[in-house]
């Protein structure tokens, strides 16, 4: 940003977040027509935890210790992408700026790891 009040450049995460929320808006239209309402926050959280748990099984399948029907790699790719989607949707519903939270969290983790490595090397 060159100007003090300029809008920040979109990042890959902000672009992904916008896409995730577009898809969520379509789901909400379906939910309204089928259920007469949209999913509650607990229902959204349950959807996320179900998909995240299935990622565990898919990792086992990728390692050959759990058998599933179909293309294990394609299913793992799909579920990991869905978990990202759920994260953006939940963050939005909870009023959390996911790209900002991610950047801050990575900075804190990186700083802690660098400090740990300096301690190990001395």
């Amino acid at each position: 940003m060159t100007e003090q009040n300029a809008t920040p450049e979109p990042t890959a995460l902000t672009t992904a977040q916008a896409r995730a929320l577009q898809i969520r808006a379509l789901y909400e239209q379906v939910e309204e027509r089928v259920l007469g309402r949209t999913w509650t926050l607990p229902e959204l959280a349950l959807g996320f935890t179900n998909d995240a748990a299935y990622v565990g099984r898919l990792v086992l399948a990728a390692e050959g210790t759990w058998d599933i029907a179909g293309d294990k790699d394609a299913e793992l790719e799909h579920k990991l992408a869905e978990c990202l989607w759920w994260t953006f949707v939940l963050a939005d519903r909870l009023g959390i700026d996911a790209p900002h939270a991610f950047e801050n969290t990575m900075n804190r983790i990186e700083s802690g790891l660098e400090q740990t490595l300096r301690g190990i090397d001395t």
Side-chain angles (χ1 to χ4, degrees):
M1 291 188 308
T2 56
E3 298 178 25
Q4 189 173 13
N5 294 327
T7 303
E9 293 279 331
T11 66
L13 281 178
T14 58
T15 301
Q17 179 182 36
R19 181 78 172 126
L21 297 179
Q22 288 173 343
I23 300 303
R24 180 65 197 133
L26 291 172
Y27 270 115
E28 287 178 352
Q29 290 178 37
V30 171
E31 291 162 6
E32 283 288 346
R33 291 178 185 166
V34 173
L35 301 174
R37 64 174 181 82
T38 60
W39 277 21
T40 64
L41 182 58
E43 287 170 322
L44 293 170
L46 185 60
F48 170 69
T49 59
N50 283 337
D51 281 348
Y54 193 52
V55 167
R57 283 191 175 182
L58 291 169
V59 169
L60 290 173
E63 294 294 312
T65 58
W66 189 280
D67 193 35
I68 66 164
D71 184 338
K72 297 171 183 83
D73 292 334
E75 188 65 15
L76 185 56
E77 181 179 301
H78 175 80
K79 283 299 169 190
L80 285 170
E82 279 188 332
C83 285
L84 285 173
W85 177 80
W86 283 115
T87 300
F88 287 125
V89 167
L90 289 168
D92 181 68
R93 284 289 295 267
L94 293 165
I96 295 168
D97 181 339
H100 180 75
F102 179 83
E103 187 64 29
N104 285 344
T105 300
M106 293 303 103
N107 288 341
R108 279 193 310 275
I109 290 170
E110 180 180 41
S111 177
L113 289 170
E114 287 171 347
Q115 184 176 358
T116 298
L117 287 169
R118 283 191 300 275
I120 292 170
D121 292 339
T122 57

